[in-house]
Amino acid sequence: MLGFISARQAGLDDPLRLRRAESTRRVLSLELNKDRDVERIHGSGINTLDIEPVEGRYMLSGGSDGVIVLYDLENLSRKPNYTCKALCSVGRSHPDAHKFSVETVQWYPHDTGMFTSSSFDKTLKIWDTNTLQPADVFQFEGTVYSHHMSPVATKHCLIAVGTKSPKVQLCDLKSGSCSHILQGHRQEVLAVSWSPRHEYVLATASADSKVKLWDVRRASGCLTTLDQHNGEKSKASSEAVNTAHNGRVNGLCYTSDGLHLLTVGTDDRMRLWNSSTGENTLVNYGKVSNESRKGLKFSVSCGCSPEFAFVPYKSTIAVYTIFSGELITMLRGHYNTVDCCVFQPNFQELYSGSRDCNILAWIPALREPVLDDVSEKPLRRQHINPAYEDAWSSSDDED
């Protein structure tokens, strides 16, 4: 660490190198934090989490009970032991609460005054954070599995929605209507994600084993369909050509720079794709157990070297290096299947939600204190000048 600091002072190193090194060290030391609890509100499994990108302070959760909870992650007590309190919730008694399981929650990327939620009750709701009232509601013909707003868009306010229908719906926040439909999938769309690099590029994953990249400005829409064989016909079966996985594709996540795309499928595989060429990079992550029949919400790190992927793996979270495929560790603490996790890049923290109704906080371990080279004995007898020592003694000491 001192070497990084001195090299930075001398102008020999990129100023970000120290930050990347410390961020990486913190991710590699993630552990279940015994001093931090997240208040338990949900009465059933937690499907989705999102931390707002403005301050990185407030977190949303959505559960199988239809409940949405808003948490404050900041330690206002300044004590080592504390609980992340629920500031408010849209509970079962709320007149506008979702009737069935909430599958996705997302903050409006530029302002904490608004957030969105979608549910198996076939609706997408736009919420005013201050009043906890829906500002708009979009109705669909089928179950809603996933939705996403672009984190970088400045010229559009489109929300991509994946439903039981093979058509991808684009809802316009400005007009309040479903302005556009993307056609190409053959089965339900389980995951959608806008590129963090190009505001008009969208990735969608479906139960038809395909992942498609779209430019929503184009009339035809589809830019490419990802092919796990990179154009070479499968020797096993010609039907496998132009499929991203050999099963349902239920998870999508761009790397933070938008240059690569991670996908997970029910074939127990995770794949890394070049997002500009659509090429399968052939990174081998081994078996990534995935038994989910709906969307799987996984997350990636930001500002580390190398970067990491955090993937729900039965009742644990598997941590992989994205570009080498190495399984670094398994984070254990939940009692039941983990369905979602979200990374907090400001402090390199991870939060996970499970069917055990708990949200767990995974925090970087504190650095071990460096012991004095001289001795491990208490310092008060070693280094205090006799002139300053306490001369008081009890009668017991004199005996």
Side-chain angles (χ1 to χ4, degrees):
M1 185 59 69
L2 290 174
F4 278 120
I5 294 171
S6 58
R8 180 177 172 177
Q9 281 179 331
L12 301 174
D13 259 355
D14 179 346
L16 289 176
R17 191 164 175 235
L18 172 61
R19 182 171 180 171
R20 277 197 301 269
E22 178 60 10
S23 296
T24 306
R25 183 201 70 78
R26 287 171 64 83
V27 169
L28 290 172
S29 67
L30 281 175
E31 62 181 15
L32 184 60
N33 193 294
K34 300 174 182 64
D35 298 325
R36 184 184 310 189
D37 289 321
V38 180
E39 189 175 355
R40 183 168 170 165
I41 303 291
H42 291 279
S44 60
I46 294 148
N47 300 321
T48 173
L49 297 168
D50 191 41
I51 297 174
E52 47 84 16
V54 181
E55 295 178 74
R57 174 176 172 178
Y58 300 105
M59 181 172 73
L60 289 167
S61 66
S64 299
D65 50 5
V67 172
I68 300 168
V69 185
L70 194 162
Y71 298 94
D72 186 349
L73 302 179
E74 189 162 314
N75 181 6
L76 298 174
S77 71
R78 304 298 176 205
K79 295 176 183 175
N81 299 352
Y82 74 101
T83 300
C84 299
K85 291 289 185 185
L87 295 179
C88 54
S89 65
V90 181
R92 302 298 302 153
S93 59
H94 192 288
D96 298 299
H98 285 290
K99 293 180 176 61
F100 304 125
S101 174
V102 176
E103 291 300 301
T104 311
V105 290
Q106 187 191 0
W107 288 101
Y108 181 59
H110 312 293
D111 185 0
T112 55
M114 187 168 77
F115 67 89
T116 55
S117 64
S118 59
S119 163
F120 277 177
D121 66 8
K122 306 178 184 178
T123 64
L124 163 70
K125 297 188 177 184
I126 319 299
W127 297 88
D128 181 317
T129 310
N130 297 311
T131 64
L132 280 192
Q133 299 297 320
D136 209 346
V137 179
F138 294 90
Q139 292 276 352
F140 301 95
E141 292 178 5
T143 300
V144 182
Y145 288 104
S146 175
H147 79 269
H148 193 231
M149 284 180 285
S150 170
V152 295
T154 56
K155 295 171 185 166
H156 73 75
C157 290
L158 297 174
I159 305 177
V161 185
T163 69
K164 200 168 183 66
S165 160
K167 298 173 184 176
V168 180
Q169 311 265 355
L170 297 180
C171 300
D172 193 338
L173 275 179
K174 286 182 179 175
S175 66
S177 65
C178 287
S179 62
H180 202 43
I181 289 172
L182 304 174
Q183 300 192 61
H185 285 296
R186 294 184 178 177
Q187 293 184 46
E188 60 258 49
V189 178
L190 299 173
V192 295
S193 181
W194 291 96
S195 164
R197 194 175 189 87
H198 305 290
E199 65 175 293
Y200 292 105
V201 174
L202 175 72
T204 60
S206 168
D208 63 9
S209 304
K210 296 189 176 182
V211 174
K212 291 179 178 288
L213 299 181
W214 313 78
D215 184 333
V216 298
R217 296 168 299 183
R218 290 167 48 135
S220 59
C222 188
L223 289 171
T224 185
T225 302
L226 301 184
D227 177 14
Q228 61 183 305
H229 305 294
N230 286 333
E232 297 176 17
K233 279 204 170 185
S234 168
K235 292 169 185 172
S237 165
S238 59
E239 292 178 8
V241 176
N242 255 35
T243 56
H245 289 264
N246 298 325
R248 297 155 63 90
V249 191
N250 59 349
L252 279 177
C253 190
Y254 275 96
T255 54
S256 56
D257 57 13
L259 294 175
H260 292 84
L261 177 69
L262 278 164
T263 63
V264 292
T266 54
D267 56 357
D268 291 341
R269 289 286 177 264
M270 180 160 71
R271 295 202 164 93
L272 180 70
W273 310 83
N274 182 313
S275 61
S276 57
T277 64
E279 181 186 10
N280 180 3
T281 62
L282 303 177
V283 174
N284 182 12
Y285 299 96
K287 181 182 178 181
V288 182
S289 184
N290 177 4
E291 298 166 0
S292 176
R293 300 298 297 165
K294 51 187 186 177
L296 188 73
K297 311 290 194 303
F298 65 106
S299 190
V300 294
S301 66
C302 178
C304 300
S305 180
E307 296 289 6
F308 303 94
F310 309 96
V311 186
Y313 193 113
K314 297 185 178 178
S315 62
T316 68
I317 300 120
V319 183
Y320 297 92
T321 52
I322 290 178
F323 297 104
S324 68
E326 183 184 355
L327 175 61
I328 297 296
T329 187
M330 302 285 271
L331 301 176
R332 305 177 192 277
H334 284 289
Y335 301 111
N336 206 331
T337 303
V338 179
D339 281 321
C340 58
C341 57
V342 63
F343 184 68
Q344 211 284 27
N346 298 356
F347 304 109
Q348 293 78 45
E349 298 170 351
L350 185 75
Y351 293 85
S352 58
S354 164
R355 294 178 197 174
D356 62 11
C357 310
N358 290 318
I359 298 172
L360 298 184
W362 308 87
I363 309 296
L366 293 172
R367 284 181 177 275
E368 290 295 321
V370 179
L371 293 167
D372 194 317
D373 289 341
V374 179
S375 171
E376 295 183 20
K377 292 177 185 176
L379 295 178
R380 65 187 179 92
R381 288 284 177 203
Q382 287 178 27
H383 300 300
I384 299 176
N385 185 312
Y388 297 106
E389 275 194 283
D390 193 341
W392 180 87
S393 64
S394 69
S395 57
D396 293 339
D397 290 335
E398 291 168 356
D399 291 343

